[in-house]
Amino acid sequence: MKERAIALLSGGLDSSVATELLAEKYEIVCALTIDYNQKAVQKEIEAARLLCSRLGVEHRVIAQPWLGEITSTALVSEDSSVPTTTEQSIDDRVEASARAEAVWVPNRNGLFANIAASFADAYNADAIIVGFNAEEAATFSDNSIACADALTKSFSYSTLARPRIVAPTAGLKKDEIAAIAAKRDVVEFWSCYLCGEKMCGACESCVRTKRAFRT
């Protein structure tokens, strides 16, 4: 019998690949996309729904409007522009730190993981699938393996099901994740901080994704 899992599916490349990779190993009870009024939310939801439809997984959108209300992050605020970058400067530590601060959402991944843990506890699921990656973990600590391990440890106290965080892409860089997406034909993702007809091509998420697929 397969173990049961909840997928945290943002609709981005990493979480889409992570969910697709583990769809055969686990019985994915449902996939959760969190709506905190981020600028790209409708495109993210659309991508997540397309992937879930192909995989035969229930998709649920969880509204958390208060999270957007308490932050001035550029991912939400219409008064703040999403920072742009280039392939030449994207790995510059000083610039990366400034961009991270501009798009930081207070305790986002910690909150999302705990929401998923509540679902896991209710449905007696063994695992929570997340799309962390090593490249962004260098800037965003909540994308790291250490964060995944700490969250798993906390769930042993806060839940009865004691689900573990499963992050199949956490040790991979974007080009490695892109290679998996290409090999497995994962096209249902939106890797942009904005919600245009096409991905903007200039935000950090876009630039990392473009570079990864060209590598």
Side-chain angles (χ1 to χ4, degrees):
M1 177 180 287
K2 292 182 180 179
E3 289 189 314
R4 293 156 63 85
I6 304 294
L8 266 177
L9 182 58
S10 71
L13 174 65
D14 306 327
S15 64
S16 294
V17 168
T19 300
E20 206 275 343
L21 276 173
L22 296 181
E24 294 180 0
K25 180 177 180 180
Y26 291 93
E27 176 191 347
I28 302 179
V29 180
C30 65
L32 309 177
T33 302
I34 313 298
D35 175 1
Y36 56 97
N37 292 331
Q38 64 270 38
K39 292 173 180 176
V41 66
Q42 292 307 317
K43 289 291 189 177
E44 292 173 353
I45 290 171
E46 180 182 335
R49 281 179 174 162
L50 286 172
L51 179 63
C52 286
S53 177
R54 176 165 69 84
L55 296 178
V57 171
E58 178 188 356
H59 179 242
R60 298 187 62 164
V61 177
I62 309 300
Q64 297 290 305
W66 63 269
L67 182 58
E69 293 168 0
I70 67 171
T71 177
S72 58
T73 176
L75 297 190
V76 172
S77 175
E78 295 300 332
D79 296 326
S80 301
S81 298
V82 169
T84 59
T85 187
T86 65
E87 290 188 28
Q88 291 70 37
S89 62
I90 193 169
D91 293 320
D92 180 272
R93 288 184 177 273
V94 175
E95 290 190 24
S97 179
R99 290 195 307 271
E101 185 175 347
V103 300
W104 184 260
V105 180
N107 193 35
R108 180 176 60 180
N109 283 357
L111 172 67
F112 293 0
N114 273 280
I115 290 172
S118 292
F119 276 82
D121 210 18
Y123 291 108
N124 197 30
D126 306 281
I128 297 166
I129 300 168
V130 300
F132 293 175
N133 75 82
E135 187 171 313
E136 291 178 9
T139 306
F140 299 96
S141 58
D142 61 351
N143 261 269
S144 65
I145 293 173
C147 180
D149 291 343
L151 286 166
T152 294
K153 184 176 181 179
S154 73
F155 298 152
S156 68
Y157 296 96
S158 63
T159 69
L160 294 178
R162 298 186 175 185
R164 64 190 182 280
I165 295 286
V166 179
T169 60
L172 305 178
K173 293 188 176 181
K174 279 284 187 180
D175 60 337
E176 296 173 299
I177 298 171
I180 295 171
K183 181 178 181 180
R184 299 179 72 99
D185 201 25
V186 179
V187 297
E188 306 92 338
F189 63 87
W190 182 260
S191 288
C192 181
Y193 290 153
L194 300 175
C195 190
E197 285 294 319
K198 297 180 179 179
M199 298 183 199
C200 76
C203 71
E204 179 165 345
S205 184
C206 278
V207 173
R208 287 192 185 279
T209 302
K210 282 195 304 180
R211 180 176 68 175
F213 276 99
R214 193 170 57 255
T215 301

